[in-house]
Amino acid sequence: MDEQVARREAPLGTILDQFVCVRMIQANGMDLSLFQFDYDLTWAVFFLHADRTIYGRYGTRSDEGGSKDVSLEGFRQAALGVLELHRGYPANKAAFAGKQGPPPQFAAPEDSPLFSARYQAKLKPGSNPRQTCMHCHMVRVAERVAFRAGNKPLDEGLLWPYPLPDAVGLVLDSREKATIKEVGPNSLAARAGFKARDQILRLEGQPIVSIADVQWVLQHAKDNKSLRAEVQRGDKVVSLTLNLTPSWRRNSEYSWRTSTWDLRRIALGGLKLQEAARAGVPRELLELRVEHVGQYGDHAVAKKAGFERNDVIVSFDGLDRHASEYDLITHVLMKRKPGDKMDVTVLRKDRRVQLVLPVQ
Amino acid sequence: MQRACSLALTALLALLMGSEQQDNAALQKSLKDDAVHEAWIYNDLDEGFAQARKTGKPLLVVFRCVT
C-alpha cells in the first residue's frame, strides 16, 4: 500500500495532484502537539489545512500484518472526502476542533527523558539513519515509561490505545469511507441502533472520513460516556447515541503492537509467552510456554530471576486459571506497581520450580 | 549597504534550504526509499506547509517507518 501511494498509482494520481503531498520517514522532530495518532502504525496519514487544522486521519492496523485494515480504494475515498471538507473551509472550521489532541507530555519524541540522550531533532548528514531515526512507536513507549515513573497502574487509554471500532461492535469496510460492514449482535453499537451499510458521517460532531477518524474519537472517549453519531442510511441522515460502558476498551487487543515489546519488559521481565496446549492438560488451567527470554539490560530481568526458554508457567502472581500472555500483562500493568515482586511457578522438565519475578 | 545585507541574507537562506534538500536527498538514497514519485516533498514538513499556504491546497502528510 505504501509503495502504491508513494508511486501515485492509479486511481490516486489525479486526486493526489489536489494535495501538497509530504512524505516523512522519521519521528525525530515530530510536533506532538499536532501529530497525535496511533503510534504503533508503520504507515499513517494526516490530511490538514495549511493553518494546521486537521481534516482527518487515515491508517489502521489490527494485527501484525495490518494489510487488511487499509486499501487503496479506502484511501482514495478518504482523500475525496477531505477535498470536499476543504471546499467547505473555513465555514466548517468549528467541526474540526475535536480533531486536535490535548497538550502532549513532550513537545517532540526526542524530548522525552527516555530518548533525549540518544536522539536529535534532525538527522546528522552522513549518520546511519538506522541508528539515528526515531520510530513512531517510540512515542508510545516513552509515554508509558513516563506514566509508569509516577508509580501508578497504567491508564487504560495508554494500554488500549486507539481502540478499533470492533471494540464497540462495529466492523468497518476498509474499502469504503467510514461505512459499516457488520454490527456485532448485542454489542454497544447494536444497542445504539447502528446497521450494516450505514456510513458514519459524524461522531461527536467531527466529520469522519476513515476508520482512523473513528478510532480518534474512541481514543478520547471515557467510560460511561455517550457518543453522538450521525449516519447516512439510504437517503436519510439518522442520529444515534452510542453509550459506552465501564472498561469497554478491554474489548480491544494490543498484543500485535510493536510497543507491546516494552510491556513485556515491564510486566514479564522480558519474556515472550505462548499457549503451551499440552496434551492431557485441562484447558481451564494456566499453561504458557516461555518462547523467548530477553538477554540484555532491562529485558533480561526474567533471565536473572531464573526463567529459561521452554519453561511452562502454571501459576503467576496467584493466577492459575487459563490466561493468555496478553491477560498476564494486563493483570500486572493494572494491578501491580514498579518494584512489586510476583511469585511464579513453572514446570521445567516435569519439575515444579518456584521463581520470583520483579515488576519494572 | 542595507541592500547588500539583504541580498547576503537571502543567499544564505537559499544555501541553507538547498543544503536541507540535499540532506533529505542523501537520506532517501541511503534508505533506498526509491519508489517515491517526484511530486512528493521528501521529509520536509516546513516546505510542505509553505507550499500549502502558497497554493491553497490541503496537505497530505504520510508518516512512514522506512528503517
Side-chain angles (χ1 to χ4, degrees), chain A residues 35-336:
Chain A
F35 296 113
Q36 295 179 16
F37 60 102
D38 187 347
Y39 297 119
D40 282 303
L41 297 177
T42 55
W43 191 83
V45 178
F46 274 75
F47 298 103
L48 303 141
H49 188 276
D51 69 2
R52 296 165 60 97
T53 296
I54 296 171
Y55 289 133
R57 295 167 170 84
Y58 186 89
T60 291
R61 189 169 163 191
S62 59
D63 59 22
E64 288 197 35
S67 56
K68 68 178 174 62
D69 303 301
V70 292
S71 73
L72 212 58
E73 180 55 25
F75 181 63
R76 190 183 79 91
Q77 296 283 347
L80 287 172
V82 167
L83 289 172
E84 192 179 332
L85 294 172
H86 184 65
R87 282 191 286 275
Y89 193 86
N92 56 6
K93 186 178 169 80
F96 304 111
K99 289 180 181 274
Q100 301 281 345
Q105 285 182 283
F106 341 100
E110 67 277 0
D111 291 333
S112 74
L114 190 62
F115 297 122
S116 58
R118 186 175 162 190
Y119 295 98
Q120 310 293 322
K122 285 191 181 294
L123 302 185
K124 286 182 188 164
S127 66
N128 183 348
R130 284 171 173 75
Q131 291 172 350
T132 53
C133 265
M134 293 192 77
H135 296 253
C136 296
H137 74 264
M138 290 167 146
V139 177
R140 170 138 314 110
V141 171
E143 285 176 344
R144 284 172 175 163
V145 167
F147 196 92
R148 200 81 178 145
N151 213 32
K152 294 178 274 190
L154 213 57
D155 179 81
E156 284 198 359
L158 280 175
L159 193 52
W160 287 279
Y162 292 88
L164 287 161
D166 66 4
V168 297
L170 290 173
V171 177
L172 269 59
D173 193 331
S174 66
R175 297 162 302 174
E176 300 196 60
K177 188 182 95 168
T179 301
I180 297 169
K181 193 170 158 186
E182 287 170 37
V183 180
N186 302 316
S187 64
L188 299 179
R191 286 179 232 159
F194 284 91
K195 295 188 189 309
R197 301 309 308 152
D198 282 352
Q199 184 184 75
I200 303 174
L201 299 175
R202 272 170 290 278
L203 206 49
E204 284 291 274
Q206 298 177 34
I208 301 294
V209 299
S210 63
I211 300 173
D213 278 349
V214 175
Q215 289 177 274
W216 173 260
V217 175
L218 293 177
Q219 166 67 1
H220 297 284
K222 302 294 179 197
D223 289 354
N224 295 329
K225 187 171 167 44
S226 295
L227 300 180
R228 297 167 290 126
E230 286 178 45
V231 302
Q232 186 78 43
R233 184 175 295 166
D235 57 2
K236 291 182 189 163
V237 174
V238 178
S239 295
L240 302 169
T241 303
L242 180 66
N243 295 312
L244 300 175
T245 52
S247 298
W248 63 272
R249 280 179 186 270
R250 298 191 186 211
N251 296 328
S252 261
E253 225 269 22
Y254 58 73
S255 59
W256 59 268
R257 293 176 171 276
T258 308
S259 58
T260 299
W261 276 107
D262 201 58
L263 297 182
R264 291 190 177 104
R265 174 189 66 80
I266 294 170
L268 303 178
L271 297 175
K272 185 171 193 288
L273 308 175
Q274 64 177 13
E275 302 265 354
R278 292 179 305 152
V281 177
R283 183 90 177 94
E284 58 269 19
L285 295 180
L286 179 63
E287 255 212 327
L288 289 170
R289 185 182 305 281
V290 176
E291 185 185 285
H292 172 79
V293 181
Q295 297 292 307
Y296 307 106
D298 291 344
H299 289 266
V301 164
K303 179 184 174 186
K304 288 175 193 157
F307 286 82
E308 295 179 6
R309 192 163 179 272
N310 289 321
D311 280 349
V312 176
I313 295 176
V314 294
S315 175
F316 185 96
D317 198 29
L319 302 173
D320 59 6
R321 310 309 290 173
H322 180 264
S324 64
E325 177 196 62
Y326 166 84
D327 292 328
L328 295 195
I329 293 175
T330 303
H331 165 83
V332 176
L333 291 171
M334 300 305 290
K335 300 232 188 286
R336 291 300 208 156

Side-chain angles (χ1 to χ4, degrees), chain B residues 1 4-5 10 14 20-21 27 29 32-35 37-38 40 48 51 55-56 59 61 63 66-67:
Chain B
M1 177 67 174
C5 283
T10 306
E20 180 148 2
Q21 283 169 1
L27 177 64
K29 192 174 173 187
K32 297 186 173 63
D33 191 21
D34 302 323
H37 192 281
E38 61 184 8
W40 286 89
Q51 287 294 326
T55 61
L59 272 153
V61 180
F63 287 98
V66 177
T67 57

Side-chain angles (χ1 to χ4, degrees), chain A residues 6 17 23-24 26 44 48 86, chain B residues 37 43 56-57 59 61-63:
Chain A
D17 284 342
R23 181 173 174 83
M24 298 297 294
Q26 62 184 70
L48 303 141
H86 184 65
Chain B
H37 192 281
N43 210 43
K57 291 181 180 179
L59 272 153
V61 180
V62 169
F63 287 98

Side-chain angles (χ1 to χ4, degrees), chain B:
Chain B
M1 177 67 174
Q2 262 186 341
R3 189 161 180 270
C5 283
S6 175
L7 283 171
L9 191 60
T10 306
L12 181 64
L13 281 170
L15 196 66
L16 287 170
M17 283 168 61
S19 171
E20 180 148 2
Q21 283 169 1
Q22 279 178 3
D23 289 343
N24 283 325
L27 177 64
Q28 182 177 2
K29 192 174 173 187
S30 73
L31 289 171
K32 297 186 173 63
D33 191 21
D34 302 323
V36 182
H37 192 281
E38 61 184 8
W40 286 89
I41 295 169
Y42 197 82
N43 210 43
D44 190 342
L45 210 44
D46 289 340
E47 176 63 17
F49 274 101
Q51 287 294 326
R53 283 190 292 270
K54 185 176 163 187
T55 61
K57 291 181 180 179
L59 272 153
L60 188 161
V61 180
V62 169
F63 287 98
R64 167 64 173 153
C65 262
V66 177
T67 57

